Amino acid sequence: MSKTPDSGKAQDDRPSTVEQYLVKDPERFALNMARMIEQAGKAASAWAEPREKGDVRDHVAEPVVDMVKTFSKLSEYWLSDPQRALEAQTRLFSGYMTVWANSIQRLSDGGEDEDAVKPEPGDKRFQDPEWGRNAFFDFLKQAYLVTSRWANDLVEHADGLDEHTRHKAGFYVKQVSNAISPSNFILTNPELFRETIASNGENLVRGMKMLAEDIAAGKGDLKLRQADYSSFEIGKNLATTPGKVVGRSDVAEILQYDPATETVLKRPLLICPPWINKFYILDLNPQKSFIRWAVEQGHTVFVISWINPDERHGTKSWEAYIREGLQYGLDTIEKATGEQDVNAVGYCVGGTLLAAALALLAQEGDHRIKSATFFTTQVDFTHAGDLKVFVDEEQVAAVEKAMNEKGYLDGTKMATAFNMLRSGDLIWPYVVNNYMRGKDPLPFDLLYWNADSTRMAAANHSFYLRNCYLENRLSQGEMELAGRVVSLKDVTIPVYNLASKEDHIAPALSVFLGSKYFGGEVDYVLAGSGHIAGVVNPPAAQKYHYWTGGKPAGDFNEWLAKATNHPGSWWSHWQRWIEAKDDTRVPARKPGKHMKTLGDAPGTYVKVRV
């Protein structure tokens, strides 16, 4: 049997004996079990109390019903043909028999036979030596892997399913597989089992206490703790690039940052971040900050900091976000600097809004934005990744019903959806670490930002789901804004279209195909890594690669095969692209010289938590 990766010499040298799984102090263990039950009761109370008061209404049924319907369609395909069903059952039975035969062989001769199935490279769940050395845990591991891969194969080979149902089935199978992994349970995870025995159950007491705290923090819903949040404070050690608030509307604050050079590019830079998360992903700390780096390159940087909406903003639509966010930002830049010509950056859904706004403004004769840069932005949603799992008529209607009760979608709902896209990394490791091992997570600025949830204004979010994910109206030239039908063909300014190779939110293929809908020249650049790390990759880190090539047309894989691979960050490449459009410099501009400021950056809107 093959050995699993070494997770520590001290563990690897420990003999695999029954003694390490036997309770040494039954009295103390029993006492801790009682304390654990007491803390579990507090967790249950934290969950039940807001529901009894009517503060929380569960909408769990909708996603569960959708999952059941999806699995029913999958089952119907396999069971409708007896021969097909028999073949599927035979494959599973054969896998189990191989695992069983290996286990019997090992017990009889004590040898190390080859595993029937091995974890995928990079799978961290089964690194403890006992997963390969102890026959019981090794059997559990292999049986689980055989089952989960068999279930995934059922989805992949269900030829009768439409693509949306297949996509949902694959996603739900992944969620269920991640949830039932033996690494998630005390009695089936050797490391958890040992820690529980060694501490006489004190880890479970701490874990249940943390669970109660996290349900209380979520006001009745679990707000999974992914980092030590006490180590961070916005404006103190996050979002620290110096600047001022120079404008404030109902939906946005406009921030202008202090210059770091004697001269600056004549064209100011306006950044439109997503409102699904907060803007300081681009200003986490001085070493990672794109905003600070751009200032140091000579940009006069303005950033839109979106409001964290509440019931007052329920009717704020995409048009409101364009008028009171993007256009308001352009007006503010003109007052602050006297400049009309602007370079603009849009990130994720902020980029989608920017693209739609550019199409609208082109029709209205507003041509102040002279170049557009899109960070991992989709304008065509044909291949929109796993988020499409949550979008069909029934699910969108259910979300709209929930939003209309308050005027917004709770921030925890969006956070959970994004975490589910990578549940093996962003959910279950923290469930195990926090609530079973009873250990506090480590400080991590990125995960603090990830947990700093934002609500979704009802009208805004409904428009986005229907017009983009559900009906794909923007790329088809059918989106209606301000009484006009807008077309991306009217966007004729230069476009820098950045995708990231491992993006699960805005897939590289989706961004590539979206390039053809713009009416002007598009430079498509592919960064290494994913939706966040691919963008937030300062040159000093010397990490990843990026690819540049010809016109983004034809087959994506053929484009990539011919593209030039560059080591490191794309940031400097983008800077050269910007300067090639207009490198005129003027004396540096300080915030507040031509208008009253409203406080220091990062402002007040970004500090509103849910």
Side-chain angles (χ1 to χ4, degrees):
M1 185 170 295
S2 63
K3 293 186 178 180
T4 54
D6 189 357
S7 61
K9 188 176 188 302
Q11 286 185 341
D12 200 44
D13 291 342
R14 181 179 49 248
S16 179
T17 61
V18 176
E19 284 76 12
Q20 62 184 318
Y21 301 110
L22 298 179
V23 175
K24 306 298 190 301
D25 188 342
E27 185 176 344
R28 186 179 174 189
F29 188 86
L31 178 61
N32 281 330
M33 290 301 99
R35 293 170 59 202
M36 180 199 72
I37 293 172
E38 179 184 359
Q39 294 297 331
K42 293 180 180 179
S45 177
W47 181 87
E49 185 176 352
R51 287 164 174 79
E52 292 173 351
K53 293 180 178 179
D55 296 334
V56 173
R57 296 183 182 180
D58 286 316
H59 298 277
V60 175
E62 289 89 349
V64 172
V65 167
D66 185 71
M67 183 171 68
V68 170
K69 287 181 178 178
T70 301
F71 283 159
S72 295
K73 293 179 181 178
L74 180 65
S75 299
E76 181 181 353
Y77 170 80
W78 287 103
L79 296 177
S80 61
D81 183 336
Q83 181 64 30
R84 197 157 53 205
L86 178 61
E87 290 175 357
Q89 293 170 350
T90 301
R91 285 198 300 272
L92 180 62
F93 183 71
S94 175
Y96 285 156
M97 288 304 296
T98 302
V99 172
W100 182 253
N102 282 359
S103 299
I104 294 297
Q105 180 68 28
R106 177 175 180 176
L107 288 174
S108 63
D109 62 18
E112 292 192 351
D113 299 309
E114 187 72 16
D115 285 349
V117 60
K118 297 179 182 179
E120 294 291 339
D123 189 340
K124 299 178 181 179
R125 294 174 297 177
F126 305 106
Q127 290 185 336
D128 187 276
E130 288 288 278
W131 285 112
R133 197 164 51 187
N134 183 291
F136 171 71
F137 294 116
D138 181 66
F139 177 81
L140 288 176
K141 175 194 70 178
Q142 292 193 65
Y144 162 74
L145 292 173
V146 165
T147 306
S148 59
R149 291 180 188 177
W150 172 80
N152 187 66
D153 286 343
L154 289 185
V155 177
E156 291 297 319
H157 297 105
D159 298 329
L161 292 182
D162 63 89
E163 282 307 308
H164 182 58
T165 301
R166 184 196 306 278
H167 194 175
K168 289 200 295 183
F171 180 81
Y172 289 140
V173 163
K174 182 179 179 181
Q175 300 308 312
V176 173
S177 295
N178 285 340
I180 65 173
S181 170
S183 60
N184 295 337
F185 305 97
I186 298 291
L187 297 180
T188 56
N189 181 329
E191 190 173 5
L192 288 177
F193 204 149
R194 288 197 309 269
E195 289 186 16
T196 302
I197 296 302
S199 69
N200 287 299
E202 289 182 4
N203 57 315
L204 300 182
V205 179
R206 296 192 304 269
M208 286 301 102
K209 182 175 183 295
M210 291 174 66
L211 179 63
E213 293 171 351
D214 289 354
I215 293 175
K219 300 177 182 178
D221 291 321
L222 177 62
K223 189 171 184 179
L224 184 62
R225 196 180 318 188
Q226 295 175 319
D228 176 8
Y229 304 141
S230 65
S231 299
F232 301 103
E233 183 179 348
I234 296 173
K236 296 294 184 182
N237 55 2
L238 295 171
T240 59
T241 302
K244 298 291 183 182
V245 180
V246 293
R248 181 178 293 127
S249 71
D250 284 347
V251 301
E253 287 183 330
I254 308 300
L255 312 179
Q256 180 184 354
Y257 289 91
D258 296 344
T261 54
E262 291 185 3
T263 62
V264 294
L265 289 169
K266 189 173 186 293
R267 288 184 185 175
L269 180 69
L270 176 63
I271 298 177
C272 180
W275 56 85
I276 289 176
N277 300 108
K278 294 183 178 179
F279 82 88
Y280 65 90
I281 186 59
L282 297 174
D283 192 25
L284 279 177
N285 62 46
Q287 291 72 42
K288 299 177 184 176
S289 173
F290 176 82
I291 290 171
R292 184 181 292 262
W293 180 87
V295 168
E296 292 170 350
Q297 308 313 304
H299 291 276
T300 305
V301 178
F302 291 80
V303 172
I304 298 171
S305 175
W306 298 108
I307 188 72
N308 203 338
D310 54 36
E311 59 276 359
R312 298 170 298 170
H313 305 92
T315 59
K316 294 290 185 180
S317 63
W318 259 41
E319 183 183 351
Y321 273 61
I322 290 172
R323 303 300 191 199
E324 301 173 40
L326 266 167
Q327 273 193 301
Y328 179 62
L330 295 173
D331 295 341
T332 303
I333 287 174
E334 192 169 347
K335 291 178 183 177
T337 67
E339 296 293 337
Q340 289 191 334
D341 292 358
V342 174
N343 296 315
V345 170
Y347 191 174
C348 189
V349 65
T352 310
L353 181 78
L354 173 61
L358 286 169
L360 173 63
L361 298 182
Q363 287 194 28
E364 294 180 340
D366 186 341
H367 302 291
R368 286 177 288 181
I369 296 177
K370 298 302 183 183
S371 78
T373 297
F374 297 107
F375 295 168
T376 57
T377 293
Q378 296 179 101
V379 295
D380 178 76
F381 288 76
T382 304
H383 303 280
D386 283 345
L387 280 176
K388 287 195 76 172
V389 167
F390 302 108
V391 184
D392 52 40
E393 181 58 42
E394 291 184 6
Q395 293 187 87
V396 170
V399 169
E400 289 173 334
K401 180 180 178 182
M403 289 192 296
N404 289 335
E405 293 177 2
K406 296 181 178 179
Y408 59 84
L409 182 68
D410 286 324
T412 54
K413 307 298 184 186
M414 284 302 303
T416 299
F418 278 106
N419 286 339
M420 286 178 68
L421 298 181
R422 294 174 55 207
S423 60
D425 297 321
L426 294 177
I427 295 180
W428 294 108
Y430 296 99
V431 169
V432 170
N433 181 78
N434 300 359
Y435 310 134
M436 298 184 191
R437 301 183 72 187
K439 293 187 176 182
D440 290 316
L442 298 173
F444 190 8
D445 53 6
L446 179 60
L447 289 177
Y448 177 93
W449 167 83
N450 188 61
D452 193 2
S453 305
T454 54
R455 306 181 190 98
M456 302 294 109
N460 178 304
H461 198 51
S462 176
F463 185 94
Y464 178 49
L465 292 177
R466 288 193 172 278
N467 281 268
C468 295
Y469 276 96
L470 191 60
E471 298 165 356
N472 200 19
R473 288 177 170 270
L474 180 57
S475 65
Q476 304 308 310
E478 299 173 352
M479 179 181 282
E480 294 185 21
L481 284 168
R484 298 173 182 265
V485 178
V486 299
S487 171
L488 292 176
K489 290 298 181 185
D490 294 330
V491 181
T492 58
I493 60 174
V495 168
Y496 188 100
N497 206 12
L498 178 80
S500 54
K501 195 173 185 182
E502 300 167 18
D503 198 335
H504 57 284
I505 295 173
L509 172 63
S510 182
V511 178
F512 179 86
L513 295 177
S515 299
K516 68 181 180 182
Y517 294 100
F518 293 102
E521 178 185 347
V522 177
D523 285 273
Y524 177 84
V525 178
L526 181 63
S529 196
H531 193 71
I532 301 301
V535 174
V536 184
N537 182 28
Q542 298 182 350
K543 294 174 66 176
Y544 312 128
H545 294 75
Y546 68 94
W547 290 261
T548 60
K551 183 179 179 180
D555 182 77
F556 170 67
N557 290 321
E558 290 181 5
W559 181 93
L560 182 57
K562 297 176 182 178
T564 303
N565 185 330
H566 308 270
S569 172
W570 56 269
W571 289 13
S572 298
H573 179 267
W574 170 81
Q575 177 68 13
R576 293 191 295 271
W577 183 87
I578 285 285
E579 291 181 340
K581 307 308 174 189
D582 188 344
D583 61 357
T584 306
R585 297 242 170 184
V586 297
R589 311 168 176 116
K590 293 184 179 180
K593 185 175 182 180
H594 301 293
M595 61 192 301
K596 182 180 178 181
T597 61
L598 305 175
D600 293 330
T604 58
Y605 282 5
V606 73
K607 295 180 180 179
V608 177
R609 297 181 65 85
V610 300

